[in-house]
Amino acid sequence: MKIKHFFLVIFIMFIYGSAYPVGKIGTDQIPPLFMASLRVFFVFLFIFPFFKFSIPKKQFFNLFVFSFAMGFLTYGCLYLALDFSSLVSPIIIGAQLSVPFGLLLSKFMLGEEISNKKWFFIFTAFAGIFIVAYDPRFVGEIYGIFAIVMMAFFYGLANNMSRHLKEVDIITQLGWHSIIGFIFLMFSSLVVEGNPIHNLYQLNFLSFLSAVHAGLFVSLIGHGGLFYLYKF
């Protein structure tokens, strides 16, 4: 890894850390699935001038699975977890499971070998996060914890699928993940949360900023930067 890539990783981790408290502000104002659909909508809005609507035929299946796992399942579970939970700390802890999930999936999907040393450092880091963020009230956050564990699994899956898309440029990858994610999220929001137009009227300045932050900083810069690094 080049030094510039190392600093990009540090910057991405900083952005990721801001996703949970800022996202919680959004789900306190508007329904979670609607919030997730706004996130992918803003991602697409920001890249629209550069998106060509081209479909890479050889990578269509991988691109669809990635987009469904990332744009729909990961974001949907994340905001459901934030909505279910009154605390942010269990969400932060649960999200770290995406690393071991991702490694396990990479072993089965990509045939990668995972050393014992790597496992040791991963679980040591996870234990440190758990100790720092633990709160006795975790017991009452069972639904939020379940949703964030599901989010971690789907995020690990999406990251592995992204590594199959090295020939697909970042704009195309983000664009289709936004379109596919928006379709499924908006349909789910309509079924579960009611009329999206009514939910749109609930949008205020704080929830708007939360959705823009998630779309521009966390998804476009954070996830876009991570998917860019996977191409090396």
Side-chain angles (χ1 to χ4, degrees):
M1 178 183 291
K2 296 181 179 179
I3 189 66
K4 65 178 182 180
H5 294 156
F6 174 77
F7 283 111
L8 178 57
V9 169
I10 298 300
F11 181 62
I12 289 171
M13 294 303 105
F14 173 78
I15 292 175
Y16 281 3
S18 69
Y20 307 106
V22 177
K24 180 61 176 172
I25 293 173
T27 57
D28 283 345
Q29 314 291 324
I30 56 177
L33 295 175
F34 185 69
M35 173 69 186
S37 66
L38 286 181
R39 173 175 179 164
V40 292
F41 172 78
F42 281 120
V43 174
F44 185 77
L45 191 65
F46 292 132
I47 67 169
F48 177 73
F50 314 100
F51 186 62
K52 299 178 181 179
F53 289 91
S54 59
I55 300 176
K57 296 180 180 179
K58 294 182 179 180
Q59 294 288 347
F60 175 76
F61 176 77
N62 290 334
L63 182 60
F64 180 83
V65 174
F66 161 77
S67 300
F68 186 79
M70 188 72 193
F72 173 48
L73 296 174
T74 298
Y75 296 156
C77 288
L78 170 62
Y79 289 106
L80 283 172
L82 288 170
D83 184 58
F84 288 149
S85 181
S86 60
L87 304 171
V88 176
S89 52
I91 306 305
I92 295 173
I93 292 174
Q96 309 316 308
L97 289 173
S98 62
V99 178
F101 279 144
L103 283 175
L104 286 172
L105 288 168
S106 71
K107 181 176 179 63
F108 292 107
M109 296 173 64
L110 303 173
E112 292 188 354
E113 292 299 325
I114 307 168
S115 66
N116 292 331
K117 183 185 293 186
K118 185 177 291 186
W119 280 116
F120 172 77
F121 286 124
I122 288 171
F123 283 109
T124 301
F126 181 79
I129 295 170
F130 184 85
I131 292 170
V132 171
Y134 177 76
D135 190 300
R137 292 173 292 175
F138 277 17
V139 178
E141 306 291 345
I142 186 65
Y143 294 112
I145 292 173
F146 176 77
I148 201 62
V149 169
M150 295 302 297
M151 171 268 180
F153 174 81
F154 292 127
Y155 184 50
L157 174 62
N159 280 328
N160 277 279
M161 292 307 302
S162 180
R163 296 173 67 180
H164 287 283
L165 300 173
K166 292 184 177 182
E167 299 176 1
V168 179
D169 65 87
I170 296 298
I171 297 298
T172 300
Q173 191 173 340
L174 287 175
W176 284 112
H177 118 289
S178 302
I179 293 172
I180 293 171
F182 181 81
I183 292 171
F184 283 99
L185 285 168
M186 188 56 71
F187 177 77
S188 300
S189 178
L190 176 64
V191 172
V192 177
E193 300 166 343
N195 190 343
I197 302 300
H198 173 73
N199 293 329
L200 191 62
Y201 285 132
Q202 300 180 45
L203 193 66
N204 57 24
F205 184 68
L206 284 177
S207 53
F208 175 80
L209 284 184
S210 179
V212 170
H213 170 271
L216 176 58
F217 291 99
V218 184
S219 286
L220 190 58
I221 298 176
H223 291 145
L226 189 65
F227 302 148
Y228 162 78
L229 290 172
Y230 285 154
K231 299 185 184 301
F232 291 94

